[in-house]
């Protein structure tokens, strides 16, 4: 084994962890902070990936486009498109609670997948969109990957910072208030419908950006990528395992699950060759087992949501006043 | 992020240490859709590829007596897992060539982000999307299965030659079905045919009667089905026969499946024909069939001969390139371009001797003559098959 090969693989894993981090952070806004059970991540992922791909590719006889816009425009477009798609969906579906919302969003994701597959004039149908430009794609293998990794890290940091700010702002506290006690929040005069819609659109836009980064990394996007297993449920596992309601937990969950998912293939490959095919299913089993164990022994995740701790100044003042009153 | 990379590095260096215990001589990656939507098709295909490597190893080995070790990866038929697995095969296992992945979407993603940047040659046995032709791949992407364009077009021309001017088309809504149907449609209409119905269907439904009723409304007597005969295609054909929506049926290569004869009975299939690739030198196919049967496989399973050819070609190209991964793509074209002494499936000793003597060889595959063009595609030769007794028999060759 060569060192450069190891490095290439590590960089690749980091890129994928970065892309999945965006999806998990988007889900964290919706589920972690706002309690919206979105089981249609794949749909917003697809909208982002296709929008950015169509905006930036050269002309093709197979699909819409030929705009050849800069990649940055594609990425911003992906966020806007995913947000725009989320708006009517949120308008209709957010009246549902918990599992009903989950069923509705699964349905929406399937609709998006089938539209992508069937409306060939727009998306290239099953052929997908090819020749999507990758920033720094002309460099050699390692440098091209490193440059892309730098871009992904930068974007994840910006998104992370934006979400952290938003969550520690009054908006974030209100969202958690709505999540934990809707009646109390209504009684305080909060517009719950509008706030939930905001969180839903915010999360969807971040997911769309994740999709766009994925399409540009692979220089292509096909409907096969919108598989609910790998683009919805895997992200749920990451967030639950890492700790929903905690952005650092979300990032950690992504890293842990993806590394186990990817590196477990080396372990299963140690089985004798006659089990080579069966061994591949072991990975799916390992991930499922992991989720069961976490849910059983640590339902709040590896890094749980901080509950009224020292870094919450308001709580401190509140406790002080309480103490003074006594 | 740094922490994550450190974590990543420590985690897989631990696992990698374990995998290095057995040092193989020549490693070739074998990437297939083991889990996921084509889980039923993938194992026979991988077995066929393994058979090719086994024959090489038994007949003196590659590059002066070294053994080929196939490292199997799972692409799960989606780009995410395909790229992940290919990255591991290329960087960690350090394979010198890649056979697979099976699904077109994975092929596009893997070629774009792993094998082409890394300078590794890829040959897919079943990626049929026309998009693969136009990849900017520096000539490093090959396939042993013809692009859907070729088959769809030759089928359309043959139908028109036979005097069928009006048909309805039902196709499975994936890259295979829609690619074939699209090519068929373009060629059929350009040459004066009329499509009385043209509709996609999703896989796995219990009933397609409403789809069929809709298609038959156009008044065509012939239904062209682009689907898999051991899946949805069987349901469609059965329901079309039961309800008498159409009289004649024509299928693509996916429909040439024994499951159809077994389930529906040969007596009901007198008006059913299927097109399928045929080897011009049928003794190539026969020697593969025998070897594969002896190894316990079913040679009629879909894409197994393509899979075998892809693996055998990879071995030939490696031998010709002297084990240099950078030269494999040029060697791949050289070992199957129609010039030189013919080599058939399993004839490794003969091929190795010819290569050692510096002579040109031309591999005649089990799935056809192959002969790559500039884009790494094979033109493919097709025949129309009808049901005779309990098996398919060649009716005529397509032009």
């Amino acid at each position: 084994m060569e060192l450069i090969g190891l490095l290439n693989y590590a960089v690749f894993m980091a890129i994928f962890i970065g892309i999945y981090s965006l999806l998990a952070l988007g889900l964290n806004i919706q589920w972690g902070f706002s309690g919206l059970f979105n089981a249609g991540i794949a749909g917003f992922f697809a909208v982002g990936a296709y929008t950015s791909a169509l905006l930036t590719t050269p002309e093709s006889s197979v699909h819409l486009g030929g705009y050849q816009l800069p990649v940055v425009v594609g990425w911003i477009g992906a966020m806007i498109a995913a947000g725009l798609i989320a708006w009517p969906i949120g308008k209709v579906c957010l009246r549902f609670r918990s599992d009903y919302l989950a069923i509705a969003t699964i349905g929406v994701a399937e609709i998006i997948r089938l539209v992508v597959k069937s409306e060939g004039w727009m998306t290239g149908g099953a052929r997908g969109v090819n020749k999507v430009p990758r920033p720094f794609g002309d460099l050699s293998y390692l440098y091209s990957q490193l440059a892309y990794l730098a871009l992904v890290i930068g974007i994840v940091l910006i998104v992370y910072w934006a979400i952290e700010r938003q969550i520690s702002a009054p908006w974030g506290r209100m969202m958690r208030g709505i999540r934990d006690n809707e009646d109390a929040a209504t009684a305080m005069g909060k517009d719950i419908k509008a706030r939930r819609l905001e969180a839903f659109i915010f999360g969807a836009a971040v997911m769309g950006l994740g999709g766009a980064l994925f399409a540009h990394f692979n220089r292509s996007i096909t409907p096969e990528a919108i598989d609910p297993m790998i683009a919805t449920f895997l992200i749920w596992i990451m967030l639950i395992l890492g700790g929903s309601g905690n952005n650092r937990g979300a990032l950690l969950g992504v890293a842990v699950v993806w590394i186990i998912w990817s590196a477990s293939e080396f372990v299963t490959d140690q089985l004798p060759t006659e089990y080579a095919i069966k061994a591949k299913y072991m990975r799916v089993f390992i991930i499922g087992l992991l989720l069961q164990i976490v849910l059983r022994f640590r339902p709040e995740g590896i890094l749980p949501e901080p509950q009224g701790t020292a870094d919450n100044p308001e709580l401190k003042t509140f406790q002080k006043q309480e103490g003074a009153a006594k | 992020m740094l922490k994550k990379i450190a974590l990543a590095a420590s985690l897989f260096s631990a696992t990698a240490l374990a995998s290095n215990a057995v040092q193989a001589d020549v490693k070739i990656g074998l990437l297939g859709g083991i889990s996921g939507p084509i889980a039923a098709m993938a194992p026979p295909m991988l077995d066929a590829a393994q058979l090719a490597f086994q024959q090489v190893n038994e007949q003196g080995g590659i590059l002066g007596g070294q053994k080929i070790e196939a490292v199997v990866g799972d692409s799960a038929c989606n780009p995410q897992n395909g790229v992940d697995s290919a990255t591991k095969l290329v960087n960690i296992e350090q394979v010198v060539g890649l056979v697979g992945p099976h699904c077109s979407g994975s092929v596009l993603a893997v070629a774009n982000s792993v094998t082409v940047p890394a300078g590794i040659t890829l040959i897919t046995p079943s990626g049929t999307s026309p998009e693969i032709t136009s990849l900017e791949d520096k000539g490093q992407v090959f396939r042993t299965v013809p692009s859907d364009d070729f088959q769809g077009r030759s089928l359309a021309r043959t139908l028109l030659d036979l005097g069928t001017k009006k048909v309805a088309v039902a196709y499975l809504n994936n890259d295979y079905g829609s690619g074939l149907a699209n090519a068929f449609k373009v060629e059929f209409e350009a040459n004066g045919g009329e499509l009385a119905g043209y509709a996609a269907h999703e896989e796995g439904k219990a009933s397609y009667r409403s789809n069929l009723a809709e298609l038959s409304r156009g008044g065509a007597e012939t239904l062209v089905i682009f689907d898999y005969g051991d899946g949805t295609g069987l349901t469609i054909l059965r329901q079309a026969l039961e309800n008498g929506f159409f009289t004649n049926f024509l299928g693509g290569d996916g429909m040439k499946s024994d499951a159809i004869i077994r389930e529906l009975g040969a007596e009901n299939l007198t008006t059913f024909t299927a097109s399928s690739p045929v080897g011009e030198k049928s003794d190539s196919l026969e020697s593969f069939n025998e070897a594969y049967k002896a190894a316990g496989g079913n040679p009629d399973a879909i894409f197994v001969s393509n899979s075998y050819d892809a693996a055998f070609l990879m071995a030939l190209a490696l031998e010709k390139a002297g084990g240099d991964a950078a030269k494999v793509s040029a060697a791949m074209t050289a070992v199957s371009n129609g010039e030189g002494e013919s080599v058939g499936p399993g004839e490794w000793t003969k091929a190795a001797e010819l290569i050692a003597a510096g002579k040109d060889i031309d591999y005649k595959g089990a799935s056809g003559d192959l002969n790559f063009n500039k884009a790494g595609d094979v033109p493919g030769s097709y025949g129309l098959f009808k049901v005779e007794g309990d098996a398919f028999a060649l009716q005529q060759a397509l032009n």
Side-chain angles (χ1 to χ4, degrees):
Chain A
M1 181 183 324
E2 288 172 34
L3 205 61
I4 193 115
L6 266 177
L7 190 60
N8 265 326
Y9 177 51
V11 172
F12 161 78
M13 273 221 278
I15 291 173
F16 252 54
I17 289 169
I19 291 172
Y20 272 86
S21 290
L22 287 175
L23 300 175
L25 286 173
L27 181 63
N28 205 19
I29 300 170
Q30 295 177 342
W31 168 250
F33 299 117
S34 317
L36 304 172
F37 201 126
N38 178 7
I41 303 165
F44 301 110
F45 169 84
V47 169
Y50 271 94
T51 307
S52 188
L54 291 177
L55 285 176
T56 53
T57 41
E59 190 148 6
S60 155
S61 58
V62 201
H63 55 75
L64 192 75
Y67 306 111
Q68 282 188 290
L69 295 170
V71 174
V72 185
V73 179
W75 290 354
I76 295 170
M79 294 179 75
I80 294 173
L84 278 181
I85 294 274
W87 184 75
I89 295 170
K91 266 283 188 204
V92 177
C93 299
L94 288 184
R95 278 181 289 168
F96 296 120
R97 292 290 171 268
S98 59
D99 26 0
Y100 297 100
L101 178 61
I103 292 166
T105 46
I106 286 185
V108 167
E110 275 301 287
I111 291 170
I112 292 175
R113 189 176 69 85
L114 291 177
V115 167
V116 162
K117 262 177 93 172
S118 312
E119 298 301 316
W121 59 272
M122 179 169 69
T123 60
R127 290 171 72 161
V129 182
N130 208 349
K131 296 202 168 81
V132 183
R134 188 210 273 193
F136 310 110
D138 296 334
L139 301 174
S140 72
Y141 187 25
L142 179 62
Y143 289 111
S144 162
Q145 285 215 87
L146 277 174
Y148 203 81
L149 176 62
L151 264 182
V152 171
I153 291 177
I155 289 170
V156 171
L157 285 180
I158 292 170
V159 169
Y160 175 83
W161 171 79
I163 298 174
E164 282 285 301
R165 251 187 90 84
Q166 187 70 359
I167 290 307
S168 55
W171 186 87
R173 288 199 295 279
M174 176 176 58
M175 287 319 300
R176 274 177 284 185
I178 293 174
R179 177 195 67 189
D180 292 338
N181 195 335
E182 205 180 315
D183 294 337
T186 322
M188 282 188 236
K190 304 296 180 199
D191 186 351
I192 292 179
K193 257 193 215 161
R195 295 292 90 77
R196 285 180 172 229
L197 192 57
E198 281 170 11
F200 194 67
I201 291 174
F202 186 16
V206 174
M207 291 171 186
L209 181 60
L213 289 182
F214 177 77
H216 286 268
F217 178 66
N218 284 332
R219 295 194 181 97
S220 63
I221 181 76
T222 46
E224 289 159 4
I226 322 171
D227 177 21
M229 172 65 210
I230 191 95
T232 296
F233 300 116
L234 193 64
I235 295 139
W236 266 99
I237 295 171
M238 289 165 169
L239 183 65
I240 299 291
L241 191 129
S244 63
N246 183 334
N247 282 331
R248 257 163 276 168
L251 297 183
L252 180 70
V254 172
V256 168
V257 172
W258 185 262
I259 289 168
I260 292 176
W261 176 263
S262 180
S264 58
E265 197 165 9
F266 297 120
V267 182
T268 56
D269 278 352
Q270 302 308 309
L271 293 167
T273 41
E274 55 265 37
Y275 296 108
I277 286 169
K278 286 175 192 152
K280 302 298 175 190
Y281 289 95
M282 281 297 293
R283 304 160 65 199
V284 187
F285 172 74
I286 291 171
I287 292 287
L289 185 69
L290 199 67
L291 183 67
Q292 291 293 325
I293 292 172
V294 168
L295 283 177
R296 168 67 185 78
F297 295 104
R298 205 172 162 82
E300 68 276 22
I302 305 173
L303 288 180
E305 184 179 1
Q307 302 282 356
T309 45
D311 58 321
N312 187 338
E314 274 175 67
L315 192 74
K316 260 188 193 164
T317 358
F318 176 72
Q319 282 164 337
K320 234 182 249 170
Q321 285 163 349
E322 284 257 285
K326 275 175 194 169
Chain B
M1 190 52 79
L2 265 180
K3 259 189 215 163
K4 256 184 272 166
I5 296 173
L7 187 63
S10 61
L11 227 160
F12 71 71
S13 56
T15 50
L17 276 179
S19 69
N20 243 16
V22 189
Q23 193 66 49
D25 293 335
V26 176
K27 277 185 178 179
I28 296 179
L30 204 52
L31 192 52
I34 296 171
S35 59
I38 61 155
M41 281 158 59
M45 291 169 69
L46 294 174
D47 288 348
Q50 295 272 22
L51 171 67
F53 296 145
Q54 192 190 326
Q55 287 177 340
V56 173
N57 289 343
E58 281 167 2
Q59 297 178 30
I62 194 170
L63 300 171
Q66 301 186 63
K67 298 270 181 261
I68 295 179
E69 193 208 358
V71 191
V72 181
D74 178 18
S75 75
C77 209
N78 65 47
Q80 287 95 328
N81 283 327
V83 171
D84 175 50
S85 212
T87 305
K88 280 181 277 192
L89 292 175
V90 168
N91 292 306
I92 303 298
E93 304 286 358
Q94 301 273 330
V95 298
V96 285
L98 192 63
V99 179
H102 291 164
C103 300
S104 299
S106 299
V107 175
L108 291 173
V110 165
N112 274 326
S113 59
V114 188
T115 58
V116 175
I120 298 287
T121 299
L122 175 158
I123 180 164
T124 171
S126 55
T128 54
S129 166
E131 291 289 327
I132 295 173
T133 306
S134 59
L135 268 175
E136 286 158 12
D137 55 10
K138 300 175 197 151
Q140 286 166 349
V141 175
F142 294 85
R143 52 177 157 187
T144 52
V145 65
S147 164
D148 291 332
D149 262 1
F150 293 114
Q151 186 184 175
R153 286 184 186 181
S154 68
L155 194 56
R157 283 195 298 270
T158 308
L159 261 185
L160 289 167
D161 289 348
L162 291 173
T164 312
K165 303 278 182 210
K166 192 174 176 184
V167 298
V169 176
Y171 63 95
L172 181 64
N173 196 4
N174 70 0
D175 57 337
Y176 170 74
S178 67
L180 266 176
N182 207 13
F184 178 86
K185 183 183 176 199
V186 170
E187 190 77 11
F188 198 66
E189 289 181 335
N191 291 308
E194 185 198 339
L195 287 185
Y198 181 79
H201 53 261
E202 295 301 321
E203 63 185 328
K205 293 203 292 184
S207 168
Y208 293 93
R209 290 192 183 85
S210 57
N211 302 51
L212 287 164
E214 186 70 36
L215 282 169
S216 68
R217 215 162 284 163
E221 292 194 336
T222 304
L223 177 67
V224 182
I225 308 170
F226 295 119
D227 202 328
Y228 301 112
D230 45 4
T232 312
L234 175 63
T235 318
I236 295 230
L237 186 58
R238 172 187 285 143
Q239 292 177 352
L241 280 165
E242 280 171 359
N243 296 280
F245 286 119
F246 297 92
T247 38
N248 299 317
F249 301 93
L250 195 80
D253 56 351
M255 290 296 284
K256 185 179 161 273
S257 157
D258 282 348
I260 286 187
I261 304 178
R262 206 168 51 237
E263 294 283 324
L264 302 178
E267 67 277 13
N268 298 318
L269 293 169
T270 49
T271 57
F272 174 74
T273 42
S275 81
S276 184
V278 280
E280 265 170 37
K281 279 191 71 151
S282 60
D283 42 339
S284 268
L285 185 59
E286 234 142 69
S287 71
F288 162 72
N289 284 355
E290 263 168 45
Y292 194 53
K293 248 183 230 158
N298 169 19
D300 290 331
I302 188 163
F303 293 133
V304 286
S305 56
N306 308 80
S307 238
Y308 175 87
D309 286 346
F312 204 77
L313 269 169
M314 182 56 83
L316 286 174
L318 269 173
E319 178 81 17
K320 175 114 183 154
D324 184 353
K327 291 183 187 153
V328 172
S329 66
M332 187 73 85
T333 321
V335 294
S336 188
N337 59 1
E339 290 160 25
E341 193 152 341
S342 297
V343 172
E347 297 181 331
W348 177 257
T349 325
K350 178 182 165 191
E353 278 166 11
L354 285 168
I355 290 172
K359 287 193 181 133
D360 282 341
I361 57 166
D362 179 34
Y363 178 64
K364 303 271 183 212
S367 62
D369 257 4
L370 302 175
N371 297 345
F372 297 112
N373 66 12
K374 264 190 189 150
D377 283 348
V378 289
S381 42
Y382 293 90
L384 267 187
F385 289 79
K386 62 173 191 279
V387 179
E388 246 172 39
D390 284 335
F392 283 96
L394 185 66
Q395 188 183 9
Q396 68 174 108
L398 302 193
N399 57 344

